[in-house]
């Protein structure tokens, strides 16, 4: 039975994952979001859940067992060990990674069952760069792919759309779902830019829109209107998953797109309107990037206000 309200899923262990001083993917990102919810007076209007640990069976839908075991074996007892040049593990990272993936699984359960119309997962490490067999770009497990696979395989959904507006191309998610007819992925990203993918003959179910450095609201919104929307409306998704990265914001030094706070409410509303008609409004949103702490907090508030109808 629907209880309504937007579910907000997080866990204190996600803030213990620490890749070292000065790493931009830092624990303060999650507290910046919490502070912004309070400042915007919406913290008490969300229904909070603690993220569970993902089970190995959930991870195995996306990642092969040797990769999962290699990540677990890399986790240090003390200090920091690198999985790749951008991504590191501390003693608390393994638990954080399982909570981040588990949040998406719980979110899918809550939304498909009708307990909540939609859910936001305020978690880290992020996931959209993680391929089946490789960590990269601050990502260890592909959280959004694990959540989408749970909706497809545990709940039997047949048409899922993944919406990725992070400034970086979600290469891992693309690799995992290329030519999977159950999934349509639409994305915008700065190009050419890390990870330098997304433009070389993407599969038919990948709707990739590269944007030049300096692109702002007008260019972003035109891409969504002209390229994302016809694809989404034609696909008629039963459920939508956001890879919600907020690093295309003009205040974010990680990249050179120039989105503003209101672009995040605008794009959320555009996508929500499609799935309101085709999929009972079912949305799961998972945090990806976003490294300017004030812009991240404000942008998440914009995104959540639309999801929660506030
Ligand atoms: Zn990013």
């Amino acid at each position: 039975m629907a209880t309504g309200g937007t579910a907000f899923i997080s866990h204190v262990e996600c803030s213990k994952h620490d890749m070292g001083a000065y790493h931009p993917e830092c624990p303060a990102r999650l507290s910046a979001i919490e502070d912004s919810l309070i400042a915007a007076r919406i913290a008490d209007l969300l229904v909070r859940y603690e993220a569970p640990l993902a089970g190995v069976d959930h991870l195995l839908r996306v990642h092969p067992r040797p990769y999962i075991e290699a990540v677990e074996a890399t986790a240090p007892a003390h200090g920091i060990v690198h999985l790749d040049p951008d991504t590191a593990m501390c003693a608390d990272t393994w638990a954080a990674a399982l909570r981040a993936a588990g949040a998406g699984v719980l979110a899918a359960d809550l939304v498909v069952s009708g307990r909540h119309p939609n859910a936001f997962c305020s978690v880290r490490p992020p996931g959209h760069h993680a391929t089946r067999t490789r960590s990269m770009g601050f990502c260890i497990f592909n959280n959004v792919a694990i959540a989408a696979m749970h909706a497809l395989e545990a709940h039997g959904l047949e048409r899922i759309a993944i919406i990725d507006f992070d400034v970086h191309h979600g290469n891992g998610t693309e690799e995992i779902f290329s030519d999977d007819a159950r999934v349509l992925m639409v994305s915008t990203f700065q190009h050419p830019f890390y990870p330098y993918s997304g433009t070389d003959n993407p599969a038919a179910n990948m709707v990739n829109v590269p944007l030049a450095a300096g692109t702002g609201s007008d260019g972003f919104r035109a891409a969504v209107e002209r390229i994302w929307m016809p694809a989404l409306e034609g696909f008629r998704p039963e459920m939508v998953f956001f890879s919600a990265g907020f690093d295309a914001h003009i205040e974010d030094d990680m990249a050179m797109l120039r989105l503003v706070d209101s672009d995040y409410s605008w794009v959320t509303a555009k996508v929500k309107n499609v799935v309101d008609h085709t999929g009972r409004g079912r949305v799961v949103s998972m945090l990806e990037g976003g490294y300017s702490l004030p812009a991240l907090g404000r942008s998440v508030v914009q995104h959540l206000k639309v999801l929660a109808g506030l």
Side-chain angles (χ1 to χ4, degrees):
M1 194 182 76
T3 53
T6 292
F8 183 90
I9 306 170
S10 190
H11 198 283
V12 66
E13 288 183 342
C14 288
S15 293
K16 294 182 178 174
H17 164 53
D18 190 340
M19 296 190 282
Y22 312 114
H23 197 296
E25 206 291 278
C26 61
R29 298 178 64 230
L30 299 187
S31 50
I33 291 171
E34 298 283 353
D35 291 348
S36 295
L37 300 181
I38 293 167
R41 301 177 186 274
I42 65 169
D44 295 338
L45 304 176
L46 307 170
V47 184
R48 285 185 173 264
Y49 289 85
E50 293 214 322
L53 297 165
V56 173
D57 52 332
H58 300 129
L59 305 180
L60 281 170
R61 291 197 181 109
V62 169
H63 302 285
R65 190 178 294 275
Y67 173 70
I68 299 166
E69 290 177 350
V71 171
E72 185 173 20
T74 302
H78 307 283
I80 289 173
V81 173
H82 277 76
L83 284 164
D84 61 69
D86 298 326
T87 317
M89 297 184 78
C90 69
D92 295 302
T93 298
W94 175 249
L98 294 182
R99 298 282 180 196
V105 172
L106 173 62
D109 285 339
L110 291 172
V111 172
V112 175
S113 70
R115 293 268 307 273
H116 295 277
N118 51 57
F120 179 77
C121 301
S122 189
V123 293
R124 48 186 294 280
H128 73 153
H129 294 306
T131 72
R132 290 184 181 280
T133 58
R134 225 168 16 120
S135 70
M136 62 183 276
F138 318 158
C139 302
I140 297 174
F141 298 127
N142 195 309
N143 305 318
V144 78
I146 291 164
M149 285 295 278
H150 187 68
L152 292 167
E153 303 207 340
H155 294 290
L157 269 64
E158 296 177 343
R159 291 187 315 283
I160 280 174
I162 297 176
I163 317 297
D164 190 331
F165 54 66
D166 190 279
V167 80
H168 304 96
H169 176 239
N171 61 294
T173 315
E174 174 173 284
E175 181 212 77
I176 291 159
F177 289 117
S178 280
D179 295 318
D180 185 333
R182 302 171 298 178
V183 175
L184 174 75
M185 181 174 176
V186 302
S187 66
T188 48
F189 49 90
Q190 183 177 328
H191 187 81
F193 198 58
Y194 182 88
Y196 304 98
S197 54
T199 54
D200 291 338
N201 299 313
N205 64 326
M206 296 290 146
V207 178
N208 296 347
V209 188
L211 300 173
T215 300
S217 299
D218 291 350
F220 171 71
R221 292 186 186 205
V224 170
E225 292 272 19
R226 292 178 198 159
I227 303 173
W228 282 14
M229 296 311 289
L232 282 171
E233 286 163 359
F235 186 69
R236 301 187 60 78
E238 298 172 302
M239 185 168 179
V240 159
F241 290 75
F242 280 101
S243 253
F246 299 91
D247 41 9
H249 196 285
I250 188 170
E251 293 172 28
D252 199 305
D253 292 336
M254 185 71 78
M256 289 150 276
L257 295 189
R258 301 170 65 84
L259 302 194
V260 297
D261 298 10
S262 58
D263 289 319
Y264 294 105
S265 49
W266 180 85
V267 70
T268 306
K270 293 294 287 187
V271 171
K272 184 171 181 296
N273 186 50
V274 173
V275 78
D276 279 349
H277 288 99
T278 66
R280 301 181 216 165
R282 294 184 287 210
V283 174
V284 166
S285 179
M286 308 210 59
L287 181 65
E288 300 284 1
Y291 305 99
S292 159
L293 300 184
L296 171 65
R298 298 194 317 268
S299 300
V300 169
V301 165
Q302 293 290 313
H303 181 58
L304 273 171
K305 277 186 161 180
V306 173
L307 292 181
L310 300 172

